[in-house]
Amino acid sequence: MSESNIIDGKAFAARLRERVGNEVKTLKADHGLTPGLAVVLVGEDPASQVYVRSKGKQTVETGMESFEHKLDASTAEADLLGLIDTLNTDDRVHGILVQLPLPDHIDESKVLAAINPDKDVDGFHVINVGRLWTGADAMVPCTPYGCILMLKDALGDLSGKRALVLGRSNIVGKPMAALLLAESCTVTIAHSRTKDLETRCREADILVAAVGRPEMVKGDWIKPGATVIDVGINRIDAPEKGEGKTRLVGDVDFAEARTVAGAITPVPGGVGPMTIACLLRNTLVAARRQKGIQATDI
Ligand code: GUN
């Protein structure tokens, strides 16, 4: 049985970071402008702490300024809104990211709505959601944007292809569908209530899995030769590695899928590294737009 091409997200992300770094140098040299990214973390969720640390480190490595705000889990909603207000008017800050999830006593939609849409490098503000769906210049959510870059690299023109997005979250599923539609794909959004899910998946030339269910998509759900993008990052027990050990798997059964798909992203090393690289790209784009600097996209 033949094996798929493995889409190397780690290498792709490294190349994108390098391009962003070069553009940052040009921006400094030509305009005296250093893009700045503020990341706000409320509480001590271990996974969020790891992400925030990586974001800060890569922001600095790319030549941008990083502002980290770590707030206690008991922080009042009003205090968080006050901090966002300060960041909205701080000229050194071009991008603002509030790490999700937030503690239960804080209203997430209120917080996201408080971010200046032009500094909303996550693309979660309703203004950016509206801009994305209407084809205007939006800040685009990082994970789906990274998926589109990898798909275009693997396939070239996506026009007319049948794409199925498994998952309907605001962070991945819905913006992913909008981006595929903008590339003139015929798009299906599938979810837990979708009938004949396996058949729908088998019809897709492009399958994007973003449901957070370990290895749910099996090899026989995939159309032979299809391109598979696995957004899932699930930690499961791995007794074969020893007692108490775990490993990361995606939403796709990789061992099965790679014998059927034409190309596939692995987990880890696929979509994951692209998300932060796209955040850095978004911060660069936001800084340029806020200063009215014209440049070709990267
Ligand atoms: N939590 C998990 N993914 C994300 C993301 O892309 N952005 C933010 N802000 N929080 C997250």
Side-chain angles (χ1 to χ4, degrees):
M1 218 176 275
S2 68
E3 297 219 321
S4 344
N5 291 323
I6 307 299
I7 300 174
D8 186 346
K10 201 172 161 195
F12 202 112
R15 290 196 296 275
L16 178 56
R17 279 197 307 271
E18 194 182 327
R19 290 206 301 280
V20 173
N22 288 337
E23 291 296 320
V24 168
K25 274 193 201 123
T26 306
L27 206 53
K28 279 184 193 174
D30 294 354
H31 300 274
L33 175 64
T34 302
L37 172 65
V39 175
V40 182
L41 173 63
V42 186
E44 269 128 44
D45 177 69
S48 292
Q49 283 178 324
V50 172
Y51 286 133
V52 167
R53 211 173 307 130
S54 288
K55 284 168 188 168
K57 183 166 169 275
Q58 293 188 30
T59 302
V60 171
E61 283 168 0
T62 317
M64 307 198 211
E65 260 200 286
S66 169
F67 305 93
E68 276 184 31
H69 296 269
K70 294 187 178 158
L71 308 182
D72 199 82
S74 64
T75 299
E77 184 182 275
D79 291 338
L80 176 57
L81 292 172
L83 171 61
I84 291 171
D85 227 22
T86 308
L87 297 173
N88 279 341
T89 53
D90 186 336
D91 281 346
R92 298 168 305 160
V93 173
H94 306 94
I96 302 170
L97 180 145
V98 178
Q99 186 67 30
L100 303 178
L102 289 166
D104 288 344
H105 67 279
I106 297 179
D107 181 345
E108 185 179 297
S109 58
K110 216 171 174 180
V111 170
L112 296 180
I115 298 172
N116 173 350
D118 296 333
K119 294 191 177 187
D120 169 35
V121 283
D122 258 329
F124 294 163
H125 193 291
V126 288
I127 293 273
N128 281 314
V129 177
R131 285 178 183 157
L132 175 62
W133 282 96
T134 55
D137 277 343
M139 295 309 304
V140 178
C142 304
T143 300
Y145 189 71
C147 296
I148 279 285
L149 291 181
M150 290 192 287
L151 279 169
K152 286 167 82 166
D153 186 65
L155 295 172
D157 186 9
L158 307 184
S159 171
K161 296 203 182 292
R162 282 194 191 196
L164 182 134
V165 181
L166 188 48
R168 53 175 157 176
S169 70
N170 290 333
I171 294 183
V172 183
K174 289 179 199 165
M176 188 73 236
L179 289 171
L180 289 162
L181 187 60
E183 295 295 329
S184 302
C185 292
T186 302
V187 183
T188 301
I189 304 177
H191 45 80
S192 54
R193 302 287 178 91
T194 296
K195 297 218 165 52
D196 302 321
L197 179 60
E198 299 177 31
T199 309
R200 298 284 83 79
C201 288
R202 253 192 313 272
E203 291 165 350
D205 303 310
I206 294 169
L207 177 59
V208 181
V211 275
R213 288 172 158 262
E215 301 179 317
M216 173 180 165
V217 177
K218 298 297 172 191
D220 61 2
W221 294 30
I222 294 166
K223 180 177 176 176
T227 304
V228 177
I229 304 288
D230 191 351
V231 181
I233 302 177
N234 310 289
R235 191 164 284 286
I236 62 167
D237 291 338
E240 72 280 4
K241 285 168 64 179
E243 204 185 308
K245 297 282 186 197
T246 60
R247 66 190 172 98
L248 288 181
V249 296
D251 291 348
V252 177
D253 186 324
F254 184 78
E256 286 188 17
R258 71 178 300 189
T259 65
V260 186
I264 184 167
T265 59
V267 177
V271 175
M274 283 299 285
T275 297
I276 299 184
C278 289
L279 172 67
L280 303 174
R281 177 262 177 197
N282 279 359
T283 305
L284 168 69
V285 169
R288 280 181 185 154
R289 284 187 191 160
Q290 283 158 45
K291 300 291 172 192
I293 296 166
Q294 303 292 326
T296 47
D297 198 3
I298 56 162

